[in-house]
Amino acid sequence: MNRINLNSHHPILDIQNHVVFANNGNVVLCYKVALPEIHSLSEQDFEELHSMWFQAFKTLPTGTVIQKQDSYQKVGYDAHQLPNNTFLEKATYEYFKGREYLSHQSYLFFVLPLDKTLNAAKYVNPFRKAEKGFHRKLDVQVAEFITAVDDAVSFINNGQRVSLSPMPSDDILTHTNNYYNGFNQDFDTDMLLENKYIEIGNHFFDVIAVTNENCFGGWVQSSKTNEKFTSDDFTFHQGFIDGLGLELNENHIVNQVLYLDNKHKWRKLLDKKVEELSKSSNFGSQNKVVLKKVQHILDQINTDDSSRIIRGHLNIIFWHSEAEHLKRIGSQIKAGFKELDIMPYHPNGEERKHYFLNSHPCHATNFSNEDLYVTDLKHALCLYINNTNYASDATGIIFNDRQYNIPVLKDVWDEDKHRIKARNFAIFAPTGEGKSFLANNILRQYFEQGVRLVLIDLGGSYAKFAKLYPGQHVILRYEQGKNLGINPFYMAADSDLTPERLEDLAVFLLELLAQHHATKSQEVAIKKVLLWYYKTIRQDHSLASLYQFVDDRKDTLIQDLQIKEAHFSTYDFLHILSEYVQDGPYSFLFNTGADQTYTIEDKSLIIFELDEVRDNKEILSVMLKLIKSAIQRTIWRNRSERGIILFDEFAKQLKFPNVLESVEFYYQAIRKQNGAIGIILQSINQLPENSTSASILENSQVIYSLRNEKGYDALQKRLNLSSHDLNQLKSIRNNLSGERKYTEIFIKIGKESNVFRLEVPPEVYAAYLTDGTESTEIMDRYEETLDMEKAIKAFIHFKKETL
């Protein structure tokens, strides 16, 4: 049969759920395989996956055929998952839409053959008898087979890394139609099988296969060194045949078919083969090589009770719209096999047709002994592909994958807490590696998703991105000798003095008094003072007013309130707070009448720029307390609203204990809110090694690290990173030249980690620039127009004109 039309020769008679009844009497159980992301697995991970497959398959009934099919197709990136509303979102959507990449789909099929002897003739054209069809029923044998496969699938799904899901009937039909229709889109066509190549519509097909034991030169293993990322001081691993998976950037399918055979039957056959080869081993070196391999397999069977003899077949089907290009792909595949010390077979004519037609799971029982190698199941499973494309979450922050720089959404908020219990994050990167750029990227996307941002910034890194959203942001900049307009003691009405507000004010005063570990008695005492103050003084509340109130009653206050001196020291109160009132050196911080925090109540993006105060630990500490009180009274009132507080450029200040403890408060308080805290540091060593820092790190379960030439040992030690995490960090490479510029970022979300890229369109790049002549140029244009979007567009247009 030289021409096959699928409409008249369909291999499937019936589908019940995910169970296919084929026209040749075979029953096929069909599953979609979800695999871990490429680059995310260590050497040990590969070994564990190998063991998982073995444990799942080894007890399946004799005669079972298992086919794993990994299909790779060049497609254009479908940007439907990306938001497309704001200026920067639209720029990102248009920039990546249609970008070519290799899409991977992995399937697993369990086949119950009609004839369990599995001894096909040399060539079987599965469509020759297709007109009849065997109408097999869901009988006892089929039911037992389904139960056995269910057990294997449950075992796999109980693991951490791989999951199998039953294929819906529509997907099974689509899979079959796509395969036999040669992956041609928008039209049905015939298969032409007798030409130089298999020709289906606009595509030419060829096959390269591994068909007998002689193909294997050396031993196989579950993983090998990844030369691309490995360096002198670390080893990065990849799956044994990953070079023929996503690394082969062409349209192709990797098929691996396993026949689970009777162990005792094969022991007898191999004994016989050893005997024959022993007699003829003097007649050539090839016979000696084969004898050695067969003897090894026999030894394994005899010594390892858990061994499972299989016959296996591995082939790679590949296609292209130009016949000439097939030769180049074929050469790449052969080179890939040669690296693995495997000598593949390149079939022609009838043989090629046979391999193509029977690599569909309905026909996977049609391979003959001449098409199959004999080995142990453990050996065959080393040839499994165990990873796939980077996986996008349903929602999240856009980064890029490491293969093609296509967008990947990562849910670093994790609303349902599948991966993390605390969504606080930390960014680590030395100066000049792009930490502000990365922070801008994360925060801008959060902001556009409706998350409220409070940025406590000492470097002026966010003004440009903020100006894209006029009316939605406010920048409160500290200037020498001036206050921020925050009066934590201000009450507009009696109803404002809620128990929560009283609690917050008590904590504020205790922190100002440096009583960071106050007892319950001390807290109660200071609340009594505050309550008496608000009952007595009915207007113009402020720290100065409170100070005067206590000073006026200093001789009788303890008796009047019936509190002990040990719980409230009037002298200490007046002595310490004298620095912040009247002529005290820091009185300007509290010299404000009516509270101005209402200006931030309706803003979604609030930036406190404290650049001028970065070296004054006293002012900075008070500033943080004032900001905290403003946040509590405005942003944290609505606990259903998502919010993020970011401390940027904070390394120098973290050396001051009172600052560190002030930050720790945010970490404790954020647990009650629907929020997260982020810190940005040049090095993890800038966090002092104490219990406060340990608590902060423990509660930061999303970690970002950019490249660090000095190494990552401190990061590994203090964050308890795995050896593979460290290898991933060491493999980070940036590309800041050429058409597609990107930086690489290590991201760890809970226990999951990988290296991602950050590539952005010119508009986004311009919005994130924080220094240099280009940034100044954009800000100058903004001063002219007071429209950041226009300024960025004009800057990009000018750059294109001058290139």
Side-chain angles (χ1 to χ4, degrees):
M1 188 179 287
N2 299 334
R3 180 190 292 268
I4 297 171
N5 184 298
L6 194 63
N7 292 326
S8 57
H9 298 86
H10 206 283
I12 295 174
L13 288 180
D14 186 26
I15 304 176
Q16 296 178 23
N17 298 319
H18 65 295
V19 182
V20 167
F21 292 86
N23 60 24
N24 57 4
N26 288 346
V27 177
V28 188
L29 275 61
C30 310
Y31 294 89
K32 186 95 169 40
V33 187
L35 294 165
E37 289 180 343
I38 189 167
H39 309 315
S40 68
L41 300 172
S42 66
E43 182 179 16
Q44 186 182 346
D45 294 331
F46 282 113
E47 285 175 13
E48 286 173 3
L49 284 168
H50 179 271
S51 175
M52 175 207 72
W53 290 119
F54 178 75
Q55 294 296 331
F57 293 166
K58 71 176 184 180
T59 54
L60 285 169
T62 297
T64 300
V65 176
I66 303 168
Q67 180 176 358
K68 185 164 183 287
Q69 189 173 79
D70 291 278
S71 176
Y72 301 88
Q73 286 188 66
K74 281 188 175 181
V75 294
Y77 177 70
D78 178 359
H80 77 277
Q81 215 184 351
L82 301 185
N84 189 20
N85 301 309
T86 67
F87 168 55
L88 297 184
E89 283 176 346
K90 285 174 182 170
T92 304
Y93 179 91
E94 292 298 331
Y95 183 73
F96 288 109
K97 186 175 70 174
R99 177 173 288 193
E100 189 178 83
Y101 75 104
L102 204 61
S103 173
H104 175 207
Q105 305 295 323
S106 187
Y107 307 98
L108 195 61
F109 304 103
F110 298 90
V111 186
L112 174 66
L114 178 68
D115 176 11
K116 289 182 80 174
T117 56
L118 291 171
N119 261 333
K122 178 62 183 158
Y123 298 119
V124 179
N125 186 330
F127 291 100
R128 220 159 249 155
K129 297 179 187 172
E131 291 85 351
K132 294 181 185 176
F134 291 87
H135 291 272
R136 190 168 187 177
K137 293 187 173 66
L138 193 61
D139 57 19
V140 174
Q141 188 189 11
V142 174
E144 286 175 353
F145 179 70
I146 291 172
T147 301
V149 170
D150 282 348
D151 288 347
V153 169
S154 295
F155 180 83
I156 292 165
N157 285 341
N158 283 336
Q160 297 296 310
R161 297 189 177 274
V162 176
S163 65
L164 306 182
S165 52
M167 285 175 73
S169 55
D170 287 353
D171 288 5
I172 295 169
L173 283 172
T174 302
H175 170 270
T176 297
N177 293 339
N178 284 344
Y179 183 79
Y180 285 123
N181 199 49
F183 303 97
N184 288 283
Q185 299 296 315
D186 306 322
F187 65 90
D188 288 341
T189 189
D190 296 334
M191 285 177 267
L192 303 176
L193 303 169
E194 297 298 328
N195 300 345
K196 185 182 176 187
Y197 294 109
I198 295 169
E199 195 175 336
I200 310 176
N202 295 332
H203 297 151
F204 297 92
F205 285 76
D206 202 354
V207 184
I208 289 175
V210 176
T211 57
N212 66 66
E213 308 88 81
N214 294 345
C215 293
F216 298 98
W219 304 121
V220 297
Q221 54 211 47
S222 57
S223 67
K224 66 185 280 283
T225 301
N226 182 324
E227 300 298 344
K228 182 178 173 185
F229 294 122
T230 294
S231 187
D232 291 342
D233 61 334
F234 73 99
T235 305
F236 208 89
H237 279 260
Q238 65 181 58
F240 190 67
I241 68 161
D242 279 2
L244 299 167
L246 279 172
E247 297 294 327
L248 176 61
N249 196 21
E250 301 287 353
N251 293 316
H252 67 291
I253 298 173
V254 180
N255 289 297
Q256 189 174 13
V257 182
L258 306 177
Y259 288 23
L260 301 188
D261 281 328
N262 184 305
K263 184 171 177 175
H264 304 295
K265 176 184 121 180
W266 274 102
R267 185 184 281 142
K268 286 177 189 171
L269 285 170
L270 289 170
D271 277 335
K272 192 174 177 185
K273 199 163 188 180
V274 166
E275 195 180 327
E276 288 170 2
L277 286 165
S278 298
K279 289 174 185 173
S280 61
S281 63
N282 296 328
F283 296 106
S285 58
Q286 184 60 35
N287 283 351
K288 284 181 182 174
V289 172
V290 176
L291 172 61
K292 194 174 177 184
K293 286 180 183 172
V294 173
Q295 188 64 57
H296 176 75
I297 295 166
L298 195 56
D299 290 345
Q300 268 193 306
I301 297 171
N302 292 329
T303 56
D304 185 358
D305 288 340
S306 69
S307 71
R308 181 77 197 252
I309 293 302
I310 61 104
R311 282 176 294 160
H313 175 90
L314 172 69
N315 72 47
I316 298 177
I317 295 169
F318 51 103
W319 68 97
H320 200 272
S321 55
E322 297 170 25
E324 276 305 301
H325 193 78
L326 278 189
K327 287 181 185 172
R328 291 200 285 276
I329 302 173
S331 297
Q332 277 182 267
I333 292 169
K334 287 170 188 171
F337 274 123
K338 190 174 183 182
E339 270 187 40
L340 305 174
D341 203 6
I342 295 173
M343 182 67 72
Y345 168 57
H346 195 167
N348 278 302
E350 194 75 16
E351 193 90 334
R352 174 167 48 213
K353 175 173 76 175
H354 168 58
Y355 287 174
F356 178 81
L357 294 179
N358 292 314
S359 289
H360 184 277
C362 285
H363 307 141
T365 54
N366 288 346
F367 291 104
S368 73
N369 267 344
E370 290 178 45
D371 307 314
L372 302 162
Y373 58 85
V374 180
T375 188
D376 181 74
L377 178 59
K378 286 179 183 172
H379 174 287
L381 292 173
C382 288
L383 306 179
Y384 261 27
I385 287 172
N386 282 313
N387 50 39
T388 188
N389 299 100
Y390 278 61
S392 268
D393 296 321
T395 59
I397 302 298
I398 302 166
F399 300 99
N400 303 87
D401 82 344
R402 211 177 187 183
Q403 295 286 109
Y404 314 98
N405 286 25
I406 58 165
V408 180
L409 269 68
K410 278 291 153 192
D411 182 6
V412 287
W413 189 266
D414 199 5
E415 189 73 49
D416 299 323
K417 298 187 176 177
H418 293 306
R419 292 187 282 218
I420 48 175
K421 291 183 175 66
R423 54 180 68 99
N424 305 321
F425 63 92
I427 296 174
F428 300 100
T431 302
E433 288 294 340
K435 54 182 178 290
S436 292
F437 195 93
L438 172 61
N440 267 284
N441 183 62
I442 295 166
L443 296 168
R444 187 269 299 179
Q445 292 183 62
Y446 268 137
F447 174 75
E448 291 181 337
Q449 291 168 17
V451 178
R452 204 164 189 188
L453 304 182
V454 180
L455 313 181
I456 301 166
D457 179 26
L458 283 83
S461 302
Y462 305 98
K464 193 174 323 104
F465 127 61
K467 285 179 170 61
L468 276 168
Y469 311 95
Q472 296 180 63
H473 80 275
V474 61
I475 298 174
L476 298 172
R477 187 177 285 109
Y478 170 76
E479 293 174 41
Q480 186 63 43
K482 295 183 181 178
N483 60 63
L484 286 177
I486 299 171
N487 177 3
F489 298 92
Y490 178 80
M491 296 283 170
D494 288 352
S495 58
D496 285 357
L497 190 63
T498 61
E500 290 83 5
R501 185 75 188 278
L502 190 65
E503 193 78 43
D504 292 341
L505 279 173
V507 170
F508 179 82
L509 280 171
L510 287 166
E511 284 192 345
L512 216 51
L513 293 163
Q515 293 180 13
H516 302 295
H517 304 289
T519 65
K520 183 69 178 172
S521 298
Q522 288 171 314
E523 288 175 19
V524 170
I526 207 145
K527 278 192 271 188
K528 280 187 173 181
V529 173
L530 282 164
L531 271 172
W532 193 25
Y533 165 67
Y534 281 109
K535 279 180 183 173
T536 309
I537 308 297
R538 307 301 293 168
Q539 60 187 26
D540 300 330
H541 302 117
S542 66
L543 181 65
S545 163
L546 173 65
Y547 183 90
Q548 194 61 52
F549 174 80
V550 173
D551 193 28
D552 291 345
R553 294 158 180 77
K554 59 179 178 283
D555 298 327
T556 60
L557 185 137
I558 297 292
Q559 291 85 356
D560 292 344
L561 289 176
Q562 295 184 323
I563 53 180
K564 292 182 180 178
E565 182 79 38
H567 300 147
F568 183 84
S569 168
T570 313
Y571 171 80
D572 284 352
F573 182 90
L574 296 171
H575 176 60
I576 294 169
L577 294 190
S578 65
E579 291 217 296
Y580 306 112
V581 296
Q582 296 164 4
D583 298 325
Y586 305 117
S587 60
F588 63 88
L589 293 169
F590 293 92
N591 276 347
T592 179
D595 184 37
Q596 300 295 306
T597 51
Y598 68 86
T599 58
I600 70 174
E601 280 184 34
D602 62 340
K603 303 299 182 195
S604 302
L605 173 56
I606 302 136
I607 302 172
F608 294 99
E609 284 195 356
L610 308 180
D611 193 38
E612 284 194 31
V613 77
R614 60 166 59 222
D615 294 318
N616 188 320
K617 67 177 181 179
E618 190 61 44
I619 296 180
L620 182 71
S621 182
V622 175
M623 282 286 179
L624 287 173
K625 293 176 180 64
L626 286 169
I627 290 167
K628 181 170 68 183
S629 77
I631 289 169
Q632 284 171 316
R633 279 175 295 142
T634 56
I635 299 152
W636 283 359
R637 283 193 312 187
N638 180 2
R639 290 190 178 179
S640 64
E641 185 179 54
R642 295 192 296 165
I644 288 175
I645 300 169
L646 178 84
F647 297 95
D648 191 3
E649 289 286 340
F650 226 68
K652 204 168 181 182
Q653 290 67 36
L654 285 172
K655 292 175 187 170
F656 309 141
N658 52 352
V659 174
L660 188 62
E661 288 182 349
S662 187
V663 173
E664 188 190 18
F665 167 84
Y666 285 93
Y667 278 86
Q668 291 166 348
I670 206 84
R671 292 175 190 170
K672 301 172 189 172
Q673 312 297 328
N674 189 14
I677 293 180
I679 55 171
I680 301 179
L681 292 165
Q682 291 180 20
S683 163
I684 199 164
N685 287 334
Q686 291 171 324
L687 271 177
E689 293 207 37
N690 58 28
S691 59
T692 307
S693 295
S695 170
I696 286 172
L697 290 176
E698 197 175 311
N699 284 298
S700 300
Q701 293 186 6
V702 183
I703 302 296
Y704 303 91
S705 176
L706 293 156
R707 192 176 72 108
N708 190 336
E709 287 181 344
K710 292 179 180 175
Y712 309 92
D713 292 346
L715 205 63
Q716 182 192 26
K717 181 185 163 202
R718 294 188 63 182
L719 294 174
N720 294 319
L721 301 180
S722 70
S723 57
H724 186 59
D725 290 337
L726 186 60
N727 288 343
Q728 286 176 326
L729 282 160
K730 288 179 176 178
S731 75
I732 289 175
R733 306 279 184 273
N734 295 337
N735 179 12
L736 302 176
S737 60
E739 190 184 339
R740 292 185 182 176
K741 299 180 181 69
Y742 61 80
T743 52
E744 290 196 329
I745 317 144
F746 169 83
I747 304 178
K748 190 171 176 77
I749 308 168
K751 291 179 180 175
E752 295 178 15
S753 66
N754 212 337
V755 174
F756 294 80
R757 286 179 178 169
L758 183 54
E759 180 190 344
V760 297
E763 295 86 345
V764 176
Y765 176 78
Y768 294 171
L769 281 175
T770 54
D771 51 29
T773 54
E774 290 182 326
S775 179
T776 307
E777 197 179 319
I778 295 167
M779 290 308 288
D780 289 345
R781 290 178 187 274
Y782 170 75
E783 296 302 330
E784 292 169 22
T785 61
L786 295 180
D787 186 321
M788 186 55 76
E789 188 175 324
K790 280 183 182 173
I792 288 171
K793 283 177 177 174
F795 167 74
I796 291 168
H797 180 72
F798 174 74
K799 278 197 78 174
K800 283 179 181 172
E801 292 287 306
T802 53
L803 282 175

